[in-house]
Amino acid sequence: MNEEYQGAERVEALSLDMSQGSRMIQLSPKVFEEMDNLRLLRFYNNNNRVKLHLPQEGLEYLPNTLRLLHWDRYPSASLPSNFCPENMVYLEMPGSSLTQLWEGDNVPLVNLKFCDLR
């Protein structure tokens, strides 16, 4: 295991309030690569300034264990192509740049209870 990601496999929840402060945060496309137990991912922002940036190509990976995904102003046009949302219960991505969630017609959304993409 890469020392840079040591302990990442234990992370089950990640929540970040981006409305406080003025720092810009640059995420790597592989930021969630070792977080195979991540069930809750929440980036929220109560103001209109975007402070979280992804590279042009977007994320390369989101764990299929995600049950809750809330990301205000998600900066990419799509979620990673290898992401399978079969465990997703809650999906909220207001103000995002999404034009496509995932590829294919046979997406197993059997557990989805709430979806807001306004």
Side-chain angles (χ1 to χ4, degrees):
M1 174 183 280
N2 186 336
E3 285 184 31
E4 180 180 348
Y5 297 108
Q6 194 169 9
E9 73 279 355
R10 292 192 189 142
V11 176
E12 293 183 20
L14 193 79
S15 182
L16 176 64
D17 180 357
M18 299 179 299
S19 62
Q20 304 298 316
S22 59
R23 286 184 59 196
M24 294 291 186
I25 300 170
Q26 180 72 38
L27 293 180
S28 159
K30 298 179 181 188
V31 66
F32 303 112
E33 191 171 69
E34 299 291 329
M35 296 185 189
D36 290 329
N37 288 317
L38 190 65
R39 292 183 291 167
L40 179 146
L41 179 59
R42 186 170 182 238
F43 292 127
Y44 56 100
N45 189 342
N46 294 329
N47 59 42
N48 291 328
R49 296 193 329 239
V50 176
K51 297 177 185 171
L52 190 65
H53 295 280
L54 291 172
Q56 186 72 27
E57 65 272 13
L59 291 175
E60 289 183 14
Y61 178 80
L62 275 175
N64 295 333
T65 53
L66 273 180
R67 294 183 181 162
L68 182 146
L69 175 58
H70 176 126
W71 194 319
D72 288 339
R73 294 167 189 77
Y74 179 75
S76 293
S78 65
L79 295 175
S81 60
N82 58 358
F83 175 57
C84 181
E86 64 187 349
N87 294 309
M88 187 70 59
V89 175
Y90 184 99
L91 177 64
E92 186 171 12
M93 301 183 83
S96 73
S97 297
L98 284 170
T99 57
Q100 177 179 348
L101 284 172
W102 36 74
E103 292 183 23
D105 296 332
N106 194 16
V107 179
L109 296 173
V110 295
N111 294 309
L112 191 64
K113 303 292 185 215
F114 179 84
C115 182
D116 181 357
L117 303 173
R118 62 186 145 83

